[in-house]
Amino acid sequence: MADTSSLLTVGGDRTTGQTVRTQNVMAAATIANIVKSSLGPEGLDKMLVDDVGDVTITNDGATILKLLEVEHPAAKVLVELAELQDQEVGDGTTSVVIIAAELLKNADELVKQKIHPTSIISGYRLACKEACRYIQEHLVCNVDDLGKECIINAAKTSMSSKIIGPQSDFFSNMVVEAAMAIRTSDGKGGHRYPIKAVNILKAHGKSSAESVLVHGYALNCTVASQALPKKILGAKIACLDFSLQKTKMKMGVQILIEDPDQLDKVRQRESDITKERIEKIMAAGANVVLTTGGIDDLCLKYFVEAGAMAVRRCKKVDLKRIAKATGAVFITTLANLEGEETFEPSFLGQADEVVQERICDDELILIKGTKARTAASIILRGANDFYCDEMERSVHDSLCVVKRVLESKTVVPGGGAVEAALSIYLENYATSLGSREQLAIAEFARSLLVIPKQLAVNAAQDSTDLVAKLRAYHNMSQVKPDQRDLRWVGLDLTKGVVRDNKKAGVLEPAISKIKSLKFATEAAITILRIDDMIKLAPEQRGGNSYEQAYRSGQL
Amino acid sequence: MAPQKRNNAPKQSEYKDKDKPTQIRMSNIEAAKAVASAIRTSLGPRGMDKMIQAANGDVTITNDGATILKQMQVLHPAAKMLVELSKAQDVEAGDGTTSVCVIAGSLLDACSKLLAKGIHPTSISEAFQKASAKSMEILEGMTTPLDLNDRESLLKSASTSLNSKVVSQYSNILSPIAVDAVLRVINPAYADNVDLNDIKIVKKLGGTVEDIELIDGLVFDQKTQGVGGPNKMEKAKIGLIQFCISPPKTDMDNSVVVSDYTQMDKVLREERQYILNIVKQIKKVGCNVLLIQKSILRDAVSDLALHFLAKMKIMVVKDIEREDIEFVCKSLNCRPIASLDHFVAESLGTAELVEEIHTGASKIVKITGITNPGRTVTVLIRGSNKLVLEEADRSLHDALCVIRCLVKKRALIAGGGAPEIELSLKLMDYANSLTGMEQYCFREFAEALEVIPFTLAENAGLNPISTVTELRNRHAQGETTAGINVRKGAITNILEENVVQPLLVSQSAIHLASETVRSIMKIDDIVNCM
């Protein structure tokens, strides 16, 4: 191969065979090593400083990897994997990367023992399928059996590894309440939890325990003028997507004035057009006007006179959600079908109270008691901005977890219980197979143990001892039918013992485990299938021509 | 080694005129062989993938020969011929792009052996032409005819093609899609070609490959426009317009002069009236779903128009690409409407349901239940990341091409290296009936074809020598359908394993490969015009 590759003059580098596989595995292992220490409740955080000096402190695998500038293409596959897990599940981003890297490492060992990669691939695929099936059949417990407590527990488990871990009692309740508030029916008898609808605002100052959940919508804007009222009860809200400014003529319209008197009238007319619009809105009964555009100081006068609240430069997404929550119609123009401009009272939405409140240095507008649908916003408080950012990420992760648990209705015990159970099961399963896949499945089983091992290492416990104990319990549960309850056994990392994690309330959504296994296997297979890497050199003008290659003796 | 040769070259050429052409020929052969050996590891169901990082950092992971070679920037002119060759196979048959290069590489190897024996390149070239013609005959003799109603066989050949791809584990999902898509766009009774443009492929990131679906209708990857407008429409009447619903612009620079304040109101009102007129006309005709062609010069549809349309409960999809217009018309059975005057009920298409669907983070618009649908289908491809998405697209394209080949030439042959080994044996036999140099050439040609089963076995982790010899043995005993069963790692009757491929793929592979080899043989000088 070596002598032919020198003949194949491509404009760039080319690596083939075992070299490229080892390279890829190395790259993947490097990525996994970076996030490894942040796994689990005792995992530590990373501080990332980018080229302009912005600092991010985080424990979230996907965030860490997103901020790294990874160059190696195989490593990029892992970064994408973490992103995918983040999008699809929202939690478990660190573990998915660690599992994928471990699968690759073990596969590389097998290849070195002269086992063809395709056999390993089919073995991995089989193992993944079996593992998912086993989780679904033996390791899940139904949320309905466990009661509402388990949803809070699942949120707590996801938070335990994060900065807000110590206050997980407080935050988990908040998160579950927020998720419940935004529940909407999907029209087929089920419910959806569009977690994006939970508006998370950050304000630094005060301690994190003083974060609040607002039943309503918090809008990060202030009223347009000091003279406007700051509190309105029984609000009638108009959501507009146009500016209330002096009307400007469109491009291509020129105003030519011959008479100086006309000049004044034109000016007058310019402001009158908007005035008429505002009057129409007021006439319909609106007392709160939210717009994505601007409001002139001149026009504010009319609001002040009417005693209505006006807020300018709101975000479009916010307004759309407010419109949904209050039952308002989000309107882009006042024109009606007769070619005139009107504003119907039916366009208005309703809320009990709209109030501007001061939280730390910023003022926020809170819309409480929305009529059409309940809404939820979380205002996070923290000592500094990094802290707030990390809190936001953690809360987001927990929201995702709660959503998954509520939608899928199944949870699995955490703390390495699932991985240990699967590894025992797959090892037994491997010995029942007489084909080449046996070795690959056994390696798959061994790779899964990396999670409990790493959890124990991060917690500064004796990983060998703990994992051995854990495996012993799980083996017992699978061998002896009367000991089946031992399958809930997982690690207790603070005390360094094994315990029943189902009772202890360490729970994760089943869907998260299944998806992370599937994604990790897919990614490992994608990288494993590669046996040739061609890096093309950046194109140079008139560079790498045949003539040059000829001269440099490459031909 | 190479530089030394070159240093000697000018000196020798003074004495021996024949040396330079030989060197050029050898250099060409070596370069082309290098290309072939570069992609041979991706042949077959157990073939590996290549990762190619382009100059701008984009990464492609693929198993498709044509794609690999297109991405690689080969410099040697002869090597470029092989790249062209695989492109030609891609155009002609759509599949077998790797095999065609591997065959060409092996034939070139045979040539170098023949040249070493002192046989003149022209004789080799002529003999190869005859051998290739003879191979066509032999292949024809091996075929099983196919009826397009025989869905089972079509499925088999599609999954054979998909088996070598990254998405192979989904072949049971993709092959029915490929078969159904092709069968829907043709009339099985008298079709002899398939216009793959009738199969629109829409790629959307998110979901997994399992979510790929064949849609009997249309899909747009845009979302519906406007706030508060409908996003689901039953019994839809669909209009496809090519004009804009926004304030008009003249061709020249223009300006409207306003000299009176009352006229300001008029300007605003006129604009509203103008747009309202258009919208009312649309509504009057009964249209309730509006597709608007993309416009560069001005807004295809202004905010005001969207507002009116939403009020009239008309669903709007904008930014339909110009090249898609024809496809849309064909499938909806409607006419594109270029001006408001032509907006009449006859130009509209009708469908049972037009609906906006959430797919992960984004939305798509789906039109189903079209009345009098044209012969078109849409395939919605999903993939968890960009690499998988692209590869799924390429694989589906290959599978579609395989079915197209079967429509063109309704004959199947066994896969798994069976046709190549059979050809090799038959050609060997035939060679014995010849005399002179042709005999040598035929023998080498025959032997060269064995590279396919050899590589298949090698890639599958089997012992190539023992596998190929056993295969040859079985064929000599008359088992013409014996082939390499990669899954079991043994020689079995490959037809029973459902590994079949269209005749056209094998035929064009051998045909194109031998032609390329012939043209490489005929080159005796490279002149650099710099």
Side-chain angles (χ1 to χ4, degrees):
Chain A
M1 206 67 217
D3 50 343
T4 47
S5 67
S6 65
L7 272 168
L8 177 70
T9 41
V10 292
D13 298 333
R14 175 156 180 260
T15 18
T16 52
Q18 188 55 44
T19 334
V20 66
R21 206 166 284 127
T22 314
Q23 260 181 25
N24 286 343
V25 170
M26 283 274 283
T30 320
I31 292 288
N33 276 337
I34 295 171
V35 292
K36 227 175 197 174
S37 63
S38 66
L39 181 79
E42 310 291 325
L44 297 178
D45 293 356
K46 309 269 166 215
M47 179 184 256
L48 300 138
V49 186
D50 68 7
D51 45 4
V52 288
D54 272 352
V55 178
T56 312
I57 300 174
T58 185
N59 181 285
D60 183 42
T63 315
I64 298 171
L65 293 181
K66 211 187 300 170
L67 290 170
L68 291 177
E69 273 180 29
V70 181
E71 243 189 37
H72 196 281
K76 267 191 196 154
V77 172
L78 279 204
V79 175
E80 272 176 25
L81 168 72
E83 264 172 47
L84 180 71
Q85 174 84 2
D86 196 28
Q87 281 167 13
E88 293 268 322
V89 184
D91 194 32
T93 47
T94 314
S95 47
V96 73
V97 172
I98 293 178
I99 294 177
E102 191 69 17
L103 284 176
L104 277 174
K105 205 171 90 189
N106 288 337
D108 196 40
E109 289 298 315
L110 283 181
V111 175
K112 279 182 189 152
Q113 291 166 27
K114 305 284 174 216
I115 294 177
H116 202 273
T118 47
S119 310
I120 302 172
I121 289 170
S122 57
Y124 273 10
R125 218 164 249 159
L126 198 63
C128 176
K129 218 163 91 191
E130 270 305 306
C132 294
R133 195 184 57 81
Y134 190 77
I135 293 180
Q136 259 156 351
E137 281 175 14
H138 296 285
L139 294 172
V140 294
C141 21
N142 201 315
V143 172
D144 296 335
D145 301 344
L146 295 172
K148 198 193 166 206
E149 196 57 27
C150 78
I151 300 169
I152 294 177
N153 279 334
K156 243 188 235 173
T157 310
S158 108
M159 275 176 203
S160 62
S161 61
K162 303 287 156 71
I163 206 163
I164 50 175
Q167 292 128 331
S168 60
D169 280 335
F170 173 73
F171 280 104
S172 54
N173 277 314
M174 181 190 271
V175 164
V176 173
E177 218 173 302
M180 290 302 196
I182 52 155
R183 181 165 80 170
T184 54
S185 163
D186 63 355
K188 289 171 200 139
H191 296 287
R192 286 196 327 170
Y193 300 87
I195 46 156
K196 269 194 206 154
V198 179
N199 196 11
I200 300 177
L201 294 175
K202 295 169 283 185
H204 72 118
K206 291 204 182 172
S207 82
S208 56
E210 277 166 88
S211 305
V212 280
L213 173 73
V214 182
H215 284 281
Y217 206 89
L219 192 61
N220 203 359
C221 296
T222 54
V223 289
S225 152
Q226 290 304 312
L228 293 171
K230 292 201 175 130
K231 183 170 182 179
I232 285 191
L233 292 169
K236 293 199 159 145
I237 303 167
C239 300
L240 312 177
D241 187 21
F242 54 88
S243 293
L244 293 171
Q245 278 165 331
K246 272 210 296 194
T247 319
K248 278 189 205 121
M249 285 290 116
K250 286 259 165 57
M251 290 276 284
V253 180
Q254 276 186 351
I255 300 181
L256 258 182
I257 292 161
E258 287 150 5
D259 184 4
D261 293 347
Q262 286 285 344
L263 184 66
D264 215 34
K265 279 184 185 156
V266 167
R267 279 203 193 122
Q268 185 67 34
R269 189 62 210 145
E270 273 183 344
S271 53
D272 276 359
I273 291 176
T274 312
K275 184 188 165 192
E276 277 163 21
R277 283 185 184 161
I278 294 172
E279 275 168 356
K280 272 172 197 153
I281 295 168
M282 290 297 142
N287 51 16
V288 176
V289 175
L290 310 173
T291 172
T292 55
I295 304 177
D296 257 345
D297 284 344
L298 196 70
C299 303
L300 277 174
K301 186 180 71 182
Y302 307 117
F303 289 107
V304 176
E305 280 166 9
M309 189 190 244
V311 182
R312 60 188 169 196
R313 308 265 175 235
C314 302
K315 273 192 216 136
K316 204 165 182 171
V317 271
D318 282 339
L319 273 196
K320 275 190 184 161
R321 281 188 204 135
I322 292 173
K324 260 186 204 153
T326 59
V329 180
F330 183 59
I331 39 178
T332 46
T333 163
L334 288 179
N336 66 2
L337 294 181
E338 281 77 52
E340 300 298 326
E341 297 195 317
T342 50
F343 191 88
E344 311 277 335
S346 63
F347 292 162
L348 293 174
Q350 292 187 339
D352 291 340
E353 188 184 10
V354 177
V355 64
Q356 175 168 328
E357 271 180 19
R358 172 173 290 273
I359 289 173
C360 112
D361 276 348
D362 290 326
E363 305 236 359
L364 295 177
I365 289 182
L366 301 178
I367 299 167
K368 293 179 187 168
T370 50
K371 278 279 143 42
R373 215 184 265 177
T374 49
S377 301
I378 295 176
I379 300 169
L380 294 174
R381 310 301 307 269
N384 53 45
D385 282 340
F386 313 129
Y387 199 89
C388 287
D389 287 343
E390 177 64 2
M391 274 167 74
E392 185 191 1
R393 281 190 288 270
S394 315
V395 168
H396 176 261
D397 277 9
S398 311
L399 273 173
C400 290
V401 167
V402 170
K403 171 190 156 125
R404 298 289 161 201
V405 173
L406 287 170
E407 279 177 357
S408 68
K409 298 270 182 214
T410 45
V411 288
V412 291
V418 172
E419 286 82 1
L422 283 179
S423 104
I424 298 280
Y425 170 71
L426 287 176
E427 260 171 29
N428 291 334
Y429 175 72
T431 45
S432 71
L433 282 181
S435 56
R436 292 156 189 245
E437 281 83 21
Q438 190 196 55
L439 282 169
I441 295 175
E443 286 300 327
F444 191 97
R446 220 154 56 93
S447 310
L448 288 178
L449 283 181
V450 71
I451 295 285
K453 265 185 207 156
Q454 192 60 41
L455 282 174
V457 168
N458 285 352
Q461 307 287 358
D462 185 346
S463 69
T464 328
D465 186 40
L466 274 178
V467 173
K469 265 188 204 153
L470 191 62
R471 278 167 60 89
Y473 276 119
H474 279 282
N475 190 35
M476 194 113 78
S477 82
Q478 285 174 24
V479 175
K480 291 183 186 159
D482 54 326
Q483 304 265 19
R484 272 202 77 198
D485 273 354
L486 283 177
R487 68 198 152 124
W488 310 123
V489 166
L491 298 174
D492 176 359
L493 293 166
T494 29
K495 296 209 187 85
V497 288
V498 288
R499 63 165 174 197
D500 187 336
N501 265 346
K502 188 184 166 193
K503 265 191 210 132
V506 179
L507 298 168
E508 291 173 64
I511 188 99
S512 149
K513 269 277 166 310
I514 292 171
K515 283 216 168 164
S516 69
L517 266 184
K518 273 189 188 162
F519 290 155
T521 318
E522 278 290 292
I525 288 173
T526 312
I527 296 176
L528 211 53
R529 276 183 64 115
I530 298 163
D531 81 329
D532 198 334
M533 183 157 78
I534 298 159
K535 262 191 198 166
L536 297 177
E539 252 178 73
Q540 297 155 357
R541 282 263 153 241
N544 273 326
S545 67
Y546 170 72
E547 184 66 15
Q548 277 191 347
Y550 190 81
R551 283 207 192 106
S552 60
Q554 276 176 295
L555 292 176
Chain B
M1 180 184 104
Q4 274 178 356
K5 229 188 220 170
R6 215 180 45 251
N7 291 340
N8 298 338
K11 226 189 266 173
Q12 284 184 355
S13 66
E14 287 165 24
Y15 310 110
K16 271 189 188 173
D17 205 16
K18 264 188 160 176
D19 193 45
K20 199 187 175 202
T22 317
Q23 262 191 33
I24 293 285
R25 211 166 275 130
M26 286 322 267
S27 143
N28 284 346
I29 289 175
E30 286 301 316
K33 261 165 65 184
V35 172
S37 75
I39 61 165
R40 64 183 294 212
T41 50
S42 64
L43 183 81
R46 288 288 166 93
M48 292 280 143
D49 298 347
K50 310 269 173 221
M51 178 184 257
I52 301 162
Q53 190 175 32
N56 57 6
D58 280 354
V59 179
T60 316
I61 298 179
T62 183
N63 184 287
D64 182 44
T67 315
I68 298 170
L69 291 177
K70 201 163 44 182
Q71 299 273 349
M72 277 185 353
Q73 292 168 355
V74 241
L75 298 176
H76 197 287
K80 274 189 185 155
M81 287 182 72
L82 245 73
V83 177
E84 292 293 321
L85 166 68
S86 103
K87 248 188 236 167
Q89 172 80 359
D90 196 27
V91 173
E92 179 66 24
D95 195 28
T97 48
T98 314
S99 343
V100 72
C101 283
V102 173
I103 292 176
S106 166
L107 285 178
L108 282 169
D109 201 31
C111 287
S112 63
K113 277 187 221 154
L114 291 170
L115 285 172
K117 287 200 176 95
I119 300 175
H120 196 271
T122 358
S123 321
I124 301 175
S125 163
E126 265 166 34
F128 273 23
Q129 189 184 10
K130 280 183 195 152
S132 132
K134 182 73 193 164
S135 318
M136 298 294 127
E137 268 172 48
I138 298 171
L139 277 177
E140 299 260 0
M142 289 175 68
T143 55
T144 21
L146 167 90
D147 184 11
L148 281 186
N149 296 324
D150 181 9
R151 192 181 148 83
E152 205 51 32
S153 302
L154 290 175
L155 280 180
K156 276 186 222 162
S157 33
S159 42
T160 306
S161 142
L162 286 168
N163 267 339
S164 62
K165 310 292 179 199
V166 183
V167 292
S168 59
Q169 75 266 37
Y170 303 113
S171 61
N172 56 337
I173 302 167
L174 289 178
S175 47
I177 287 179
V179 172
D180 289 341
V182 172
L183 289 185
R184 271 208 44 89
V185 300
I186 57 160
N187 190 337
Y190 49 82
D192 55 356
N193 201 350
V194 185
D195 186 2
L196 288 185
N197 286 332
D198 286 343
I199 301 170
K200 189 184 175 192
I201 292 180
V202 178
K203 287 183 275 183
K204 198 88 194 167
L205 204 63
T208 58
V209 180
E210 286 166 39
D211 302 328
I212 290 182
E213 54 179 333
L214 176 73
I215 292 152
D216 198 1
L218 263 178
V219 168
F220 297 107
D221 54 359
Q222 293 96 334
K223 55 179 187 171
T224 56
Q225 295 293 317
V227 186
N231 46 22
K232 186 176 175 184
M233 189 64 74
E234 282 172 26
K235 304 227 179 318
K237 284 185 162 253
I238 305 160
L240 175 64
I241 60 168
Q242 292 182 302
F243 57 86
C244 306
I245 315 181
S246 59
K249 261 187 200 163
T250 49
D251 287 342
M252 284 166 292
D253 267 349
N254 68 316
S255 58
V256 181
V257 176
V258 177
S259 57
D260 190 6
Y261 72 90
T262 50
Q263 283 179 326
M264 290 170 63
D265 274 341
K266 209 175 162 199
V267 169
L268 292 174
R269 192 174 299 125
E270 278 301 316
E271 184 193 326
R272 286 204 291 271
Q273 282 297 350
Y274 173 81
I275 288 173
L276 197 58
N277 259 340
I278 300 178
V279 176
K280 276 188 173 160
Q281 173 72 21
I282 291 170
K283 183 74 188 169
K284 207 171 81 191
V285 174
C287 163
N288 52 16
V289 175
L290 197 62
L291 311 175
I292 303 172
Q293 186 189 304
K294 198 171 193 171
S295 163
I296 306 161
L297 287 174
R298 56 182 169 129
D299 283 345
V301 55
S302 68
D303 283 350
L304 190 65
L306 279 178
H307 173 77
F308 285 136
L309 289 167
K311 274 199 154 179
M312 303 255 197
K313 300 277 169 240
I314 297 174
M315 187 163 153
V316 184
V317 181
K318 70 168 186 180
D319 288 349
I320 310 281
E321 293 292 338
R322 203 183 163 78
E323 50 262 39
D324 287 347
I325 294 283
E326 198 190 340
F327 178 82
V328 173
C329 291
K330 205 169 169 187
S331 21
L332 287 178
N333 205 3
C334 65
R335 277 206 300 267
I337 303 160
S339 96
L340 191 60
D341 303 335
H342 300 135
F343 204 96
V344 283
E346 293 86 70
S347 310
L348 301 183
T350 48
E352 276 299 305
L353 181 67
V354 180
E355 155 176 56
E356 188 182 52
I357 297 170
H358 289 265
T359 54
S362 54
K363 294 170 186 169
I364 54 165
V365 175
K366 206 171 180 180
I367 302 179
T368 46
I370 301 165
T371 23
N372 310 320
R375 290 197 170 272
T376 58
V377 281
T378 310
V379 181
L380 180 66
I381 295 190
R382 311 297 311 276
S384 48
N385 59 49
K386 223 179 101 218
L387 298 175
V388 174
L389 195 68
E390 296 288 325
E391 185 63 14
D393 179 23
R394 281 192 290 268
S395 310
L396 189 67
H397 172 79
D398 279 11
L400 288 174
C401 287
V402 165
I403 308 293
R404 182 178 67 177
C405 289
L406 288 175
V407 175
K408 276 186 186 168
K409 210 164 199 175
R410 292 172 196 186
L412 279 174
I413 51 172
E420 284 81 7
I421 205 86
E422 182 69 18
L423 265 182
S424 160
L425 277 176
K426 290 255 172 79
L427 281 174
M428 282 286 193
D429 275 350
Y430 180 72
N432 291 339
S433 68
L434 298 169
T435 48
M437 287 201 250
E438 273 189 355
Q439 188 181 20
Y440 267 116
C441 297
F442 262 69
R443 277 177 168 277
E444 288 294 341
F445 189 95
E447 213 165 283
L449 289 177
E450 277 179 11
V451 72
I452 295 281
F454 191 89
T455 315
L456 272 180
E458 204 176 51
N459 286 349
L462 305 171
N463 184 350
I465 308 266
S466 67
T467 315
V468 172
T469 44
E470 194 193 334
L471 189 62
R472 210 186 287 159
N473 184 9
R474 296 277 282 271
H475 274 264
Q477 286 166 12
E479 290 181 49
T480 49
T481 53
I484 302 173
N485 184 340
V486 172
R487 225 163 283 148
K488 289 192 187 141
I491 307 288
T492 51
N493 184 349
I494 208 78
L495 278 185
E496 279 168 14
E497 297 294 325
N498 296 337
V499 180
V500 284
Q501 59 190 44
L503 172 66
L504 195 63
V505 172
S506 301
Q507 271 194 334
S508 103
I510 291 175
H511 190 68
L512 289 172
S514 59
E515 265 188 10
T516 309
V517 168
R518 284 178 55 217
S519 58
I520 290 179
M521 286 309 294
K522 285 195 166 173
I523 300 169
D524 75 339
D525 203 353
I526 296 177
V527 182
N528 286 304
C529 307
M530 298 296 277

